[in-house]
Amino acid sequence: MPHQVLNDGRRIPSLGLGVWDIAQDETAAAVLQALELGYRHIDTAAAYGNERGVGQALVQSGLPRDEVFITTKVWNTHHGREKATASVHQSLERLGLDSVDLLLIHWPCPVLGLTTETWETLIDLQQQGLARSIGVSNFEPAHISALVKATGVRPVVNQIELHPQFQNRAAFEFNRQNAIITQAWSPLARAGDVLRDPLIAQMAARYGKSPAQVVLRWHLQEGRVVFPKSSNAERQRENLQVFDFQLTREDLQAIRAMDTGQRLFADPNDSPYLEPLTPGT
Ligand SMILES: NC(=O)c1ccc[n+]([C@@H]2O[C@H](COP(=O)([O-])OP(=O)(O)OC[C@H]3O[C@@H](n4cnc5c(N)ncnc54)[C@H](OP(=O)(O)O)[C@@H]3O)[C@@H](O)[C@H]2O)c1
């Protein structure tokens, strides 16, 4: 599995499995299936309510701990030192791990005024060995600049909404300039119109690939890390088979021109989602 090197020197597999919206009781089977297919990178979050399922799959797979890259996140209800610390300890207990590979602040939530304190907490938790690398999600350039100014510590990744219809250019470019890897969430735009777009369909036919494979390949060639969600074995397999072809410069450019600037989800500046995402999390 190809990888990228984070700005702290660690390696991250370029493609993984996202598990948002997979029910807790279906997660272990979906993740185990993915690990058996060759996935070595799982993106979960405290708020997804399925960390236990991820942990069960890791045990059932029998894979050595260091072979699988695990990300989790601190949700918006857990900003601030005490709550963020508790959240990470709970995540590790549910995952059955001593440390995660990557720990993220899920959203900046500027309205709470606790972003820097939460980042300082992640720095401390990393020093205590509970997270190997630390980063952020849904951060705009100004949010990252404020963290770096206050602490001197740069996130290794910024996980942001990014797909052909919403290419989030300012954040992507800022990340690139600051050696922060962009992880594209909802890389397939949640299997929306993009997978039925005639231009993508025509490219897919030309390469002998599926529309989803063309879109994932576009992300990879632009230097982003992706973790499409699928519970389905055939689609999980399909999403892995994106390392054996290369989009031309013209095709990359044609996909770049599909940007409508329309998000599928909320603007991080609006401090959205201040309630639990999954009841009880
Ligand atoms: N940090 C954040 O705020 C944030 C926000 C959203 C998502 N994320 C992360 O990003 C991950 C991926 O994003 P996402 O789950 O929103 O959306 P996505 O990966 O863009 O799309 C998932 C949807 O596409 C379908 N699908 C997957 N592979 C396909 C293929 N080859 N052909 C056709 N359909 C396919 C899936 O259905 P099946 O399961 O039926 O295959 C599912 O309905 C999440 O799981 C989560 O880990 C993070």
Side-chain angles (χ1 to χ4, degrees), residues 43 137-138 159 186 188 190 229-231 235 238-239:
D43 183 88
S137 175
N138 299 300
Q159 185 178 126
S186 297
L188 301 174
R190 309 217 83 207
K229 174 265 167 184
S230 182
S231 315
R235 287 188 288 279
E238 176 182 326
N239 295 344

Side-chain angles (χ1 to χ4, degrees), residues 246-264:
Q246 184 90 4
L247 299 176
T248 63
R249 200 156 2 130
E250 291 73 27
D251 286 339
L252 293 175
Q253 192 52 46
I255 301 177
R256 251 177 245 143
M258 291 174 68
D259 194 359
T260 62
Q262 297 295 308
R263 294 177 188 271
L264 289 178

